[in-house]
Amino acid sequence: YYTLPYMMRAKICVCLGSGGAFVPRLMRQAQRDLGLAAHTRTILVDGDKGTYGRPNWTDEASFLRQHYSDVEIMLMDTADAAISFAAVGQRIDYLHIDADHSLEGSLADFNRYLPLMNPGALVTFHDTRPNAHPAVTCWQAVDHIKALGFEVLNLGQVGNGVAIIKIDR
């Protein structure tokens, strides 16, 4: 989550869902370490609905708020955020999908944000280890995306699994 935006020199990083804000912190740190912080954005989108656990960064005293106040927070549903991005012509270099953990919800996020991605952008999916938890079915989305012709590297055996998807469109 640090290396990808660092190597890409990603200008716009978006993280959909993050209980501990680990991923957006790493995205932003990569931009900072490159000396790009003044001209780049990291945006965290979270509905704070609690379906998969409430985020621990909503408190103003949280580590994210204290040390990464330059991470922009959109406290809203991922669908509404996509509409906001589209309205201003926002293009994304690196997207991390970790909000809705269902097959349907994660695929909807992928399809919603696909038109907002720059060519050559990357998308990562979290929780791609099959059957890690009965309520989590987002791992199945990776096969659907691969069947659409996207180049996918799924590291399902690493932790809870992570997949990297290359966007060439």
Side-chain angles (χ1 to χ4, degrees):
Y1 305 120
Y2 175 92
T3 304
L4 294 176
Y6 189 93
M7 290 184 345
M8 297 170 63
R9 301 183 67 82
K11 292 178 179 66
I12 304 295
C13 296
V14 176
C15 180
L16 305 181
S18 184
F22 179 71
V23 172
R25 291 188 333 235
L26 291 174
M27 292 170 157
R28 191 62 182 158
Q29 191 62 53
Q31 292 170 324
R32 288 176 176 179
D33 290 350
L34 286 165
L36 301 175
H39 308 290
T40 59
R41 298 171 67 196
T42 296
I43 304 159
L44 169 56
V45 178
D46 198 302
D48 189 24
K49 295 181 181 176
T51 305
Y52 300 100
R54 294 246 166 188
N56 67 10
W57 49 261
T58 55
D59 188 292
E60 291 296 327
S62 71
F63 188 85
L64 173 72
R65 301 281 182 114
Q66 293 297 309
H67 300 280
Y68 290 87
S69 59
D70 53 345
V71 170
E72 301 170 40
I73 296 172
M74 297 177 75
L75 208 53
M76 63 176 59
D77 185 82
T78 58
D80 294 334
I83 292 167
S84 295
F85 288 139
V88 296
Q90 185 66 66
R91 307 292 293 175
I92 300 167
D93 298 307
Y94 176 40
L95 173 70
H96 180 67
I97 298 177
D98 192 22
D100 187 316
H101 287 65
S102 70
L103 165 62
E104 299 78 14
S106 59
L107 265 179
D109 280 339
F110 180 80
N111 289 323
R112 228 179 250 123
Y113 283 82
L114 185 58
L116 304 173
M117 305 301 294
N118 277 319
L122 293 176
V123 176
T124 50
F125 257 77
H126 190 236
D127 298 312
T128 63
R129 182 165 53 104
N131 305 312
H133 188 280
V136 175
T137 57
C138 58
W139 58 272
Q140 297 170 353
V142 175
D143 290 333
H144 288 270
I145 293 166
K146 193 171 186 175
L148 294 173
F150 289 93
E151 190 175 336
V152 176
L153 172 63
N154 186 11
L155 303 171
Q157 75 283 6
V158 177
N160 284 336
V162 64
I164 304 169
I165 302 158
K166 183 178 174 189
I167 306 299
D168 285 330
R169 301 171 185 191

